[in-house]
Amino acid sequence: MSWSRAAGGLLAFACAGCAAYVPPVPIHEFESGDLTAVRSFFDRQIREGDVDSSALFLNGLAQMELLQGELPRARRHFRQAGQIMGNWRTSSSEVVSAIVGAESSKTWKGDPHEKFMNAFYNGLLYWIAGEQDNARACFKKGILADGESDEGGAQTDCALLFWLAARMSAAMGLDHEAEDYAKEARRARRFAVEHGAAGAVSNAVLERPLDGNLVCILSLGLAPTKVAAGRHGSVAEVVPQSGGAASAELFLGGRSLGRAALLADLDYQATTRGGRAIEGIRRGKAVFKTVTGVGGLVMLDRAFCDLGGGGGRETKLVVGLGLLALSLLTHSAADVRHWATLPKTVHALQADVDSGEHDLRIRFRDACGRVMPHLEQTWRIEVPDDGEGVYYFRSLPVLEDGEGSS
Amino acid sequence: MASKRYEFLFSAALCGLLLSCGTIDRRVDPDAPDEVGGPNLRSQDIRAMADRMAREIRESGVLRSSDPAHRVSFHISSLRNDSSDPIDRELILLGIRTRLQQKLGRQVRVLDRSTEAVEEIREEKAAKRAAAVTANPNLAGALAGSDYVLKGTIKDRTLQSDELRSVYYVVTFELTDLETSELVWSGVYEAKFLSEKSVISR
C-alpha cells in the first residue's frame, strides 16, 4: 500500500507541469536575410508547436510579415500576441504547475522588454495605417508594460516609446501631452544612459522630437539570448549578443541625413527587467532538488548498510527512493523562452525633405565604426505632401524584393 | 482488494488529467462575462455601450422632426481613442449607427460620411453624369447635408502597482448641432477592471 501511495504522489508530481519544448529559432537564416525560412518556422510552430508559447511564435511571424511588407497580417498577429502578453489572468492550475513543475509550463507572456517591443511594433503598424490614436494607445500600453518590472527605479525608461507617444499626441492635436511625453522621453533617456544603456544622453531626435516629415525607424543587431545558469539551471541569465550593426547612416538622393539616434538598448532593458518572485521560487526549488537528492542517497546508503533487515530497512529504502524520485522530478530550471528575433537596439532619424519620391540608402556600421557593405540597403520611398512618411528598416541583408524593410 | 482500489483511483486520476488537457471551442453569448480576461473593453461592453447610446439618443427626442417632409439627418464622424488599449472604432460606431437606424427607422436620415463612402458616391455620380452607367431619375439628388454629428472619445485611467492594475474606461459621446454648434446630447459609458499579477509572472 505504501508503494502505491508513493507512486501516486510521484505521478501527480510528475504531471504537475511539464517543460515546454520550443525548438531553436533559425537565427542563422534570419541573419542571412532568409525571412521566408524563418516565417515558415514560426508558421509551423503556431500550427504544431507548444500552445503555451503561441504569443512567442505570433510575434516572430508578425515580425517576418512586417519585414516582407505584409502589414495588415503583421498587425493582426502582433495584436493577437499582445492580447496574450498583456493579460495578467493566470489560472490557479497554471500557477501550481509552474511552481511545482517546470516554470516553462506556463503561458509565455514575455519579459517587460518583450512586452513593450510588441507594443512598439503594434503601434508602428497603426501609425503606418494612419490610426494615430490607436498607435498612441499601443505606445502608452508599452510604457505601462515597461513599468511592470519588479526592479523599481529602472521602470519606464524607454525613450523610444515616450518619443513615439509624443509624436502621436502632436498628430492628434494634443500639444500639451506631446510636450509632456517629449520631456519624459528625455528623462527616460538620461536615466537609461546613467544606468548603463548604450548611446548618448542627448540626440537630435529627442532635442526636436516633433520635427520632420520623414521618419525612419531602424532595428539593428540581435537581442540578447536567455540561458539557464546557476544551480540546476535555476537562474535565467541574459546574454548579450556580440557583432551586428551598431549604427546606421541614411542618405537621401546621395545627401547624408546623418546617423540615426539610438533610442532603445534592449541589452540594457533585458538585464534590468525580470520577475523576482518567480526567481525566488526557482532558487527554492533548486535547494529542494539538491536536498532531496542528497537525502535520498543517504537513506539508500543507510538501507543498504542495514544488514539486520526487518521493517526499518524497507522504510529507508522506500523513503530513499522516494526522495531521489522527488529530486529527479523537481524542475527548477528557469524558463528561458525568449523572443530571439528582436533587435539589439532601436534607432530613429527624422528629417525635413521635399515631398515626392526619393532614393534612400542606408549604410550600417559595426561597433568599431567599420562599414558593413553586405547590409547596405537602397529603397525607393515616398514622402507625402501632407503628414509624414514613416519607414521601418532592419539591419539584414536584402535577399528578395521587398524583404529586409518595409 | 486495496491494490484494486488504488488501481481504480489511479485510472480515474489519469483520465481526469487527460480530460483536463482538452481545449474548448463553443458558441457563447456575447453578453456573457468574458473568460479570457484582461483589462479591455469586451463584447458585452461594446454591445451595452451601443445599446445605451442608441436608446438615450432616441429617448432624448433630438433626432425627431415635427415636419415629416424634412427628416433630421445626422452622421457619425469619429471615436477618438485616448486610452492605452487599441480598439477597432468601427465596432462601436457601426453598432450605434445600426441600432439607431433600427430604432428610428425612416424618422431620421443616417448619412454615411466615411471617406470610402464619399469617394464611392463621387465616382458613381461622375459615371452616371458621363452616362457610363445607367441612372435612376427618381433617385437623383445632391449629397445630403447633415444636421447633427455624433462623435466620441475613449479615455482611461490606469493605475499600476507591483501586483495590481486597475483600468477605468470612460467612453463619452456627443451630438452636436451643425448649424449652431450647440451640444444637444451627450452620453457616457463607464467600465472598470482590476487585475492581479501572478507570482509566476515576470
Side-chain angles (χ1 to χ4, degrees):
Chain A
M1 205 163 92
S2 59
W3 282 102
S4 307
R5 201 172 288 166
L10 288 174
L11 180 72
F13 198 75
C15 292
C18 299
Y21 174 67
V22 176
V25 176
I27 283 296
H28 177 70
E29 282 83 346
F30 181 66
E31 286 186 296
S32 59
D34 188 358
L35 302 178
T36 307
V38 188
R39 184 176 171 165
S40 307
F41 167 82
F42 285 120
D43 210 20
R44 193 169 56 252
Q45 292 306 317
I46 287 169
R47 281 183 281 109
E48 301 163 9
D50 176 43
V51 178
D52 290 327
S53 306
S54 58
L56 187 60
F57 306 138
L58 282 166
N59 276 321
L61 179 68
Q63 239 184 332
M64 299 311 121
E65 288 164 344
L66 165 64
L67 293 171
Q68 290 182 318
E70 294 179 35
L71 306 191
R73 285 176 70 91
R75 194 170 72 173
R76 194 170 71 241
H77 289 138
F78 273 129
R79 181 116 202 259
Q80 284 174 4
Q83 279 164 351
I84 298 170
M85 297 169 85
N87 192 344
W88 281 12
R89 185 172 180 149
T90 314
S91 69
S92 32
S93 61
E94 192 179 348
V95 175
V96 170
S97 296
I99 292 174
V100 178
E103 191 203 350
S104 62
S105 65
K106 69 183 183 186
T107 304
W108 185 85
K109 293 181 181 175
D111 282 356
H113 76 282
E114 290 164 319
K115 288 179 187 167
F116 82 60
M117 282 307 285
N118 168 275
F120 157 71
Y121 282 120
N122 236 325
L124 180 67
L125 286 163
Y126 273 114
W127 185 12
I128 292 170
E131 293 186 36
Q132 277 88 352
D133 59 345
N134 272 332
R136 194 176 78 131
C138 293
F139 299 137
K140 284 166 78 173
K141 195 176 182 178
I143 291 166
L144 286 167
D146 191 29
E148 280 179 24
S149 160
D150 295 346
E151 300 293 324
Q155 293 183 7
T156 56
D157 56 0
C158 184
L160 173 71
L161 295 173
F162 283 113
W163 165 65
L164 288 166
R167 278 202 83 102
M168 295 307 99
S169 300
M172 291 164 68
L174 304 169
D175 295 339
H176 289 299
E177 289 196 24
E179 208 173 295
D180 289 344
Y181 278 122
K183 273 185 200 158
E184 278 300 308
R186 286 189 282 271
R187 181 206 57 79
R189 186 74 200 131
R190 192 180 313 111
F191 182 92
V193 172
E194 282 170 0
H195 289 81
V201 170
S202 182
N203 58 54
V205 170
L206 296 181
E207 278 167 22
R208 292 176 300 279
L210 310 178
D211 278 7
N213 61 347
L214 170 65
V215 180
C216 297
I217 298 174
L218 303 99
S219 290
L220 274 59
L222 269 181
T225 56
K226 205 191 278 177
V227 295
R231 190 191 286 169
H232 304 300
S234 61
V235 178
E237 198 172 284
V238 175
V239 183
Q241 307 246 53
S242 55
S247 66
E249 186 176 2
L250 287 86
F251 300 84
L252 195 78
R255 179 175 64 94
S256 174
L257 297 175
R259 283 195 185 186
L262 199 162
L263 293 178
D265 173 4
L266 267 74
D267 283 348
Y268 161 77
Q269 298 288 350
T271 47
T272 55
R273 299 295 184 270
R276 281 181 174 171
I278 190 69
E279 207 162 283
I281 291 167
R282 279 199 311 266
R283 284 189 175 143
K285 276 156 75 177
V287 171
F288 178 77
K289 191 176 173 72
T290 307
V291 169
T292 49
V294 172
L297 287 174
V298 169
M299 288 307 277
L300 284 179
D301 181 57
R302 293 265 167 89
F304 288 125
C305 293
D306 191 356
L307 298 173
R313 188 178 181 222
E314 193 189 322
T315 307
K316 284 172 195 160
L317 204 62
V318 170
V319 172
L321 285 172
L323 286 173
L324 265 185
L326 271 178
S327 174
L328 289 172
L329 292 172
T330 301
H331 302 272
S332 59
D335 180 8
V336 290
R337 289 174 293 173
H338 62 282
W339 189 350
T341 47
L342 276 178
K344 189 183 186 75
T345 49
V346 183
H347 305 237
L349 181 137
Q350 48 195 23
D352 278 306
V353 300
D354 294 334
S355 58
E357 291 199 349
H358 302 274
D359 282 326
L360 183 80
R361 188 160 57 89
I362 310 164
R363 181 182 289 163
F364 294 98
R365 291 174 192 271
D366 64 14
C368 299
R370 289 181 296 242
V371 175
M372 304 175 85
H374 67 290
L375 297 180
E376 191 147 320
Q377 300 173 12
T378 303
W379 298 96
R380 190 82 182 146
I381 61 159
E382 189 175 355
V383 179
D385 294 332
D386 293 320
E388 58 219 343
V390 184
Y391 289 88
Y392 173 75
F393 305 98
R394 182 87 198 233
S395 61
L396 292 172
V398 183
L399 283 187
E400 302 161 30
D401 278 351
E403 282 199 354
S405 168
S406 46
Chain B
M1 191 66 189
S3 68
K4 287 233 174 210
R5 200 170 68 230
Y6 278 110
E7 201 177 304
F8 172 75
L9 282 174
F10 278 134
S11 308
L14 199 61
C15 286
L17 268 170
L18 290 173
L19 283 173
S20 67
C21 292
T23 57
I24 55 157
D25 184 11
R26 61 173 190 265
R27 182 180 288 273
V28 293
D29 181 355
D31 284 328
D34 210 316
E35 290 172 28
V36 175
N40 324 95
L41 290 174
R42 303 160 187 191
S43 62
Q44 60 190 123
D45 293 298
I46 290 166
R47 283 168 62 87
M49 195 188 307
D51 273 338
R52 190 191 295 177
M53 296 308 138
R55 191 180 62 244
E56 286 182 12
I57 291 172
R58 187 171 59 106
E59 286 170 356
S60 73
V62 176
L63 296 179
R64 281 209 191 89
S65 169
S66 51
D67 181 359
H70 293 96
R71 289 181 292 151
V72 171
S73 61
F74 88 102
H75 74 281
I76 295 175
S77 73
S78 65
L79 177 64
R80 197 175 77 185
N81 183 11
D82 282 351
S83 78
S84 49
D85 185 48
I87 192 164
D88 185 352
R89 289 179 284 262
E90 299 288 302
L91 264 177
I92 299 170
L93 294 178
L94 288 177
I96 295 176
R97 197 170 77 181
T98 308
R99 281 161 178 79
L100 273 174
Q101 183 105 53
Q102 285 168 347
K103 285 176 177 166
L104 295 169
R106 300 284 294 168
Q107 292 175 52
V108 293
R109 299 168 84 187
V110 183
L111 310 178
D112 185 354
R113 282 292 184 85
S114 63
T115 315
E116 302 85 45
V118 171
E119 194 56 39
E120 274 174 26
I121 293 163
R122 280 211 183 101
E123 281 175 17
E124 191 64 20
K125 275 182 174 245
K128 283 175 182 171
R129 303 293 177 268
V133 294
T134 57
N136 183 346
N138 297 326
L139 289 177
L143 202 66
S146 186
D147 299 319
Y148 297 98
V149 63
L150 181 72
K151 55 183 187 235
T153 313
I154 306 176
K155 286 186 176 287
D156 72 351
R157 172 82 174 145
T158 303
L159 297 176
Q160 194 165 294
S161 66
D162 286 347
E163 289 163 5
L164 284 174
R165 175 171 61 188
S166 73
V167 186
Y168 169 53
Y169 285 99
V170 180
V171 188
T172 50
F173 289 93
E174 292 171 344
L175 194 63
T176 309
D177 186 327
L178 286 172
E179 283 292 330
T180 63
S181 79
E182 183 188 350
L183 197 68
V184 292
W185 171 88
S186 60
V188 64
Y189 179 86
E190 295 166 295
K192 188 169 180 177
F193 301 94
L194 184 69
S195 306
E196 189 178 351
K197 195 176 180 182
S198 162
V199 287
I200 64 168
S201 300
R202 286 174 180 274

